[in-house]
Amino acid sequence: MWRIAHAVISGLAVGAGSGILANAQSIPCNGIDNCTSPFPNTTYPAAVDPNAVPGAQSGQISPPFYPSPWMDGSGGWDAAYAKAQAFVRQLTLLEKVNLTTGVGWEGDRCVGNTGKIPRLNFTGLCLEDSPVGVRDTDFNTVFPAGVTIAATWDRELFYQRGYGMGDEHKHKGVDIQLGPVVGPLGRAPEAGRNWEGFSPDPVLSGIAVAQTVKGIQDAGVMACTKHYIAYEQEHFRQVTESSGYGYNFTGEYSANLDDKTMHELYLWPFADAVRAGTASIMCVYNNINGSYGCQNSHTLNYLLKGELGFQGFVMTDWGAHHSGVSSALAGLDMSMPGDTAFDSGQSFWGANLTIAVLNGSIPEWRIDDMATRVMAGYYLVGLDKNPIPVNFDAWTTDTYGYLHYIASESYGLINEHVDVRADHGQQARTQAAKGTVLLKNTNNALPLTGKEKLTAVFGDDAGDNPYGPNGCSDRGCDNGTLGMAWGSGTANFPYLITPLTAIQNEVFSNMGAIEDVTDNYAYDQISALARRADQVGGVSLVFVNADSGEGYIVVDTNEGDRNNLTLWRGGAELIANVSSQHNNTVVVMHTVGPVDISSFYDHPNITAIIWAGIPGEQSGNAIADVLYGRVNPGGKLPFTIGKNRPDYGTDVLYRLNNGTDQPQLNFQEGVFIDYRSFDKQGIDPIYEFGYGISYTNFSYSNLKIVGQRANNYVPNAGQTKAAPTLGNFSTDPAGYVFPAGFHEVPLYIYPYLNNSDIKSASNDSDYGEPANEYLPAGSQDGSPQPKIGAGGGPGGNPQLYDVFYTVTADITNTGKVAGDEVPQVYVGLGGPDDPKVVLRGFDRLTIAPGATATFSAELTRRDFSNWDPVSQNWVISNYTKTVYVGSSSRKLPLQQALGGSSNATAGGYGTHAPAHRMF
Ligand code: NOJ
């Protein structure tokens, strides 16, 4: 039960207080500088829902919400909205439908393609993966993966990488980049696609996604933030995929979670993406509380378009579309890739959407809203100016081929091999080096000088894939160094600089000696080389990895999700072998997430450990920069590394748990994932979230918290305008059949009817049944609707982002070399059901030796709030809030209580230097 006493800032709470409630109280300023009212207007009745069922349960349901909110141009979309409306007003119904439906898998040159509007010279939209660069082409950059850029904790690099990726998509002729990823967030450490996203922490993810979206869109293409929402594992995400692996069940898994967990954890970074202006969002394969992600009126209509005020459009994941009318009414705007099953020639939309509008199942305002949302995204990022035609083909790298691949039609030039990389390779090197995390460095074993007598390099993770860097389709193997994991979240390498190559170059430049063994199982050769390196006082560098990916590829029996947290290809044995021979063994790990390091991390012969993430094409150069001290490591872990697998408290559901029915993935842990879980359980990890050391040292002092003036929270209220309709259309089906003489590309999805009898055109045996029997209540209603209290702007009620406090602290570089430090600010929300601490801000500072820099962060209303399912709004509880500043989630030397007791202790967080006294 998460029954906490709330001071409801909305004042809208319903439900009487019960005996368990603390009295409502006001939180005083307690003498904080400039603080007139730290938590303004905080004396409110407490709220509790006597019927609230907390946590996640099998069979949980998703409440309906209709009608689908229509776009209104708020939050900076007004100009794009006006242009989109003007465009859509000119369209016929068929043309509107063409904007919403893909042409079918492999129907045109991109991984997704909308229909065209030739009359207006609109050539259709090109949608292309991925979150690391342009997929399915050549002469593109492979940027570090999300998990690695997250480890930089550097806002500017988040943006730079986003801009670089967007720029490359733009110059390939892509309109919509299918990234970034904040779903999966990282509930289960083994989940296959966590590496595509940033971090299991919603604030780190939220800041990273917002900066990435801004970067991509400033470069002139639409971002698609995905996968919305609660897509936290690969197993059972698609029945067809899983049946190929021998599972027998009837429905994709249902991720079951309560409203508080939804808001405080999984929805949080999506709110940031919406606030940053993401033009599109991709809905998921799985169900959320029993309802498919792409026809879930609660998650799409209520949360995304209602509460978060999302102005862009929602597209399906590829194959996540399961219905015609109901998905449209539930808030879906675009079907991708457009066909029901790949290359089936059938569609839930296309002609069926035309019919659904003609017969009134889908109101005119809804199709107008769908088309307007798509075009608003287009105008928002300036695609109308300087459009670049598609110059590559996703289905082959051949220069000449068919424009319509699956139909083998229209032969011509399809790949122009445009080099779009500019100087992004250098940027990717810096990004990867700055995302490298130094975990252990005994007696300054690192940095290396380059003059080691003998450098011994071990592990196939140091070297080349014998098949070539792109030798495994969608990187579906673990051969050679792990520059990228597998699945659709990949791109082709223009080169992959291996660690071995870069380290060899380093050693050659010093005329030193280097030998390597890249066969992990050549035990005798490995121990012989390590022994020699030991005897001459050299260094042994051991490269190991752990891989994972998307569910459609299985690598070494891992069906997307990892089977376990062990290092791959005998990595732990390799480390044991080398470290048994050499007392200066350095371990470098390329992994998609946490791994089991318990067998070696504290071995005395292992002098240094580095987590080098999933670094992309510049892998070798980046690790050499760190090993040889050109870059002083400043990355911090974006996740926790625990001692034992059960310590994480969450795991993948690997076995069907509901007979042959939909598997139930219950998020019983609520908001307690990663460090929040370790803290709650009182389990010490090996390396905690936010941890990472440097070649220098830093000290923290002088915490100051200055209260800012913020207005009382006013729930959004009033009514929307009525839904606009744009233009007219004839309801005579005869006007919607294929034009005479029209050439149909085989398997291509069109908006046209194949005859003027709607019943037979629909090929639906039930057609003609009274439509309203099937239509959800309210779904047709285009009249003004009540506004949602927690809404009011992109990302929710704008007042959630009011700054309550400015936090500053002094960070001093106490060592001898310049270095980067990432001070982190955490908040303890204080309630018995709150995590001990939650990250709320950070900054990456470069500090000269002996110098002191001031860290500054702003804490907003949202940062101090809990979600209240009763009032359906954010509230601030009566519990004492505490602000902490430090170098990781467990090294928080500075702290200050706000309100309540002035000398609260963090309990179990190590040494507490006294905070600067504010009271
Ligand atoms: C399925 C993946 O889940 C999604 O992330 C990707 O964008 C599409 N396939 C298109 O490749």
Side-chain angles (χ1 to χ4, degrees), residues 547-614:
D547 203 354
S548 75
E550 192 174 343
Y552 68 94
I553 295 175
V554 180
V555 178
D556 196 14
T557 77
N558 296 269
E559 294 161 356
D561 303 314
R562 283 185 282 167
N563 291 334
N564 50 49
L565 295 178
T566 56
L567 290 166
W568 286 38
R569 302 177 72 91
E573 294 74 26
L574 174 68
I575 293 168
N577 192 353
V578 175
S579 59
S580 71
Q581 302 298 322
H582 191 176
N583 67 4
N584 188 17
T585 299
V586 173
V587 173
V588 179
M589 307 188 292
H590 290 119
T591 74
V592 285
V595 281
D596 181 2
I597 62 172
S598 54
S599 68
F600 64 85
Y601 78 96
D602 55 355
H603 192 294
N605 285 353
I606 296 180
T607 47
I609 303 177
I610 290 177
W611 181 75
I614 302 295

Side-chain angles (χ1 to χ4, degrees), residues 492-648:
N492 291 328
F493 285 113
Y495 51 74
L496 172 53
I497 297 167
T498 66
L500 182 57
T501 302
I503 293 164
Q504 279 171 336
N505 287 340
E506 203 80 38
V507 173
F508 297 158
S509 68
N510 288 302
M511 298 304 288
I514 180 167
E515 292 182 43
D516 62 272
V517 182
T518 55
D519 178 343
N520 287 9
Y521 305 104
Y523 301 111
D524 294 346
Q525 290 84 349
I526 290 165
S527 38
L529 177 57
R531 192 163 56 248
R532 280 202 292 122
D534 181 70
Q535 285 169 8
V536 300
V539 63
S540 283
L541 304 174
V542 188
F543 288 83
V544 291
N545 70 34
D547 203 354
S548 75
E550 192 174 343
Y552 68 94
I553 295 175
V554 180
V555 178
D556 196 14
T557 77
N558 296 269
E559 294 161 356
D561 303 314
R562 283 185 282 167
N563 291 334
N564 50 49
L565 295 178
T566 56
L567 290 166
W568 286 38
R569 302 177 72 91
E573 294 74 26
L574 174 68
I575 293 168
N577 192 353
V578 175
S579 59
S580 71
Q581 302 298 322
H582 191 176
N583 67 4
N584 188 17
T585 299
V586 173
V587 173
V588 179
M589 307 188 292
H590 290 119
T591 74
V592 285
V595 281
D596 181 2
I597 62 172
S598 54
S599 68
F600 64 85
Y601 78 96
D602 55 355
H603 192 294
N605 285 353
I606 296 180
T607 47
I609 303 177
I610 290 177
W611 181 75
I614 302 295
E617 67 182 39
Q618 287 279 343
S619 172
N621 285 336
I623 194 65
D625 286 345
V626 170
L627 287 172
Y628 293 95
R630 284 186 294 276
V631 171
N632 186 351
K636 302 274 186 176
L637 280 181
F639 50 74
T640 297
I641 299 182
K643 289 190 185 118
N644 303 298
R645 182 175 184 172
D647 293 356
Y648 293 87

Side-chain angles (χ1 to χ4, degrees), residues 105 111-112 127-131 135-136 178-179 181 183 193 196 224 226-227 231 234 237-238 282-283 285 315-319 336-337 342 395 487-489 550 552:
W105 179 244
V111 78
L127 295 78
E128 187 59 43
D129 294 303
S130 78
R135 185 185 178 204
D136 299 322
L178 301 175
V181 170
R193 300 183 75 179
E196 292 186 44
C224 175
K226 64 187 188 181
H227 307 81
Y231 170 41
E234 297 305 285
R237 68 176 190 151
Q238 280 193 296
M282 187 187 292
C283 52
Y285 290 120
M315 69 174 77
T316 63
D317 199 344
W318 274 231
M336 275 294 145
F342 288 178
W395 315 110
S488 66
E550 192 174 343
Y552 68 94

Side-chain angles (χ1 to χ4, degrees), residues 604-797:
N605 285 353
I606 296 180
T607 47
I609 303 177
I610 290 177
W611 181 75
I614 302 295
E617 67 182 39
Q618 287 279 343
S619 172
N621 285 336
I623 194 65
D625 286 345
V626 170
L627 287 172
Y628 293 95
R630 284 186 294 276
V631 171
N632 186 351
K636 302 274 186 176
L637 280 181
F639 50 74
T640 297
I641 299 182
K643 289 190 185 118
N644 303 298
R645 182 175 184 172
D647 293 356
Y648 293 87
T650 47
D651 210 327
V652 165
L653 177 73
Y654 293 97
R655 297 277 167 263
L656 296 171
N657 65 353
N658 196 18
T660 55
D661 287 342
Q662 181 186 65
Q664 301 293 304
L665 183 61
N666 294 331
F667 291 17
Q668 281 154 331
E669 69 289 340
V671 299
F672 295 95
I673 66 171
D674 199 74
Y675 67 93
R676 299 156 170 226
S677 170
F678 281 83
D679 290 353
K680 183 180 185 200
Q681 299 180 78
I683 295 175
D684 288 335
I686 297 176
Y687 298 119
E688 71 275 13
F689 173 81
Y691 175 81
I693 56 177
S694 160
Y695 298 151
T696 186
N697 294 303
F698 300 96
S699 69
Y700 283 64
S701 63
N702 202 18
L703 176 67
K704 286 189 182 150
I705 302 176
V706 178
Q708 306 292 333
R709 196 178 288 271
N711 290 329
N712 290 345
Y713 186 72
V714 182
N716 193 32
Q719 300 262 306
T720 69
K721 291 188 177 146
T725 50
L726 307 172
N728 299 305
F729 61 90
S730 149
T731 51
D732 177 5
Y736 294 91
V737 297
F738 280 99
F742 185 87
H743 170 70
E744 280 185 65
V745 175
L747 301 180
Y748 210 81
I749 305 300
Y750 293 101
Y752 298 111
L753 314 190
N754 49 22
N755 71 63
S756 61
D757 172 46
I758 291 200
K759 176 158 187 175
S760 89
S762 75
N763 199 19
D764 178 354
S765 53
D766 288 342
Y767 193 87
E769 299 292 324
N772 56 10
E773 272 187 17
Y774 303 103
L775 297 175
S779 60
Q780 310 270 304
D781 186 358
S783 68
Q785 299 295 313
K787 292 183 175 170
I788 293 174
N797 192 313

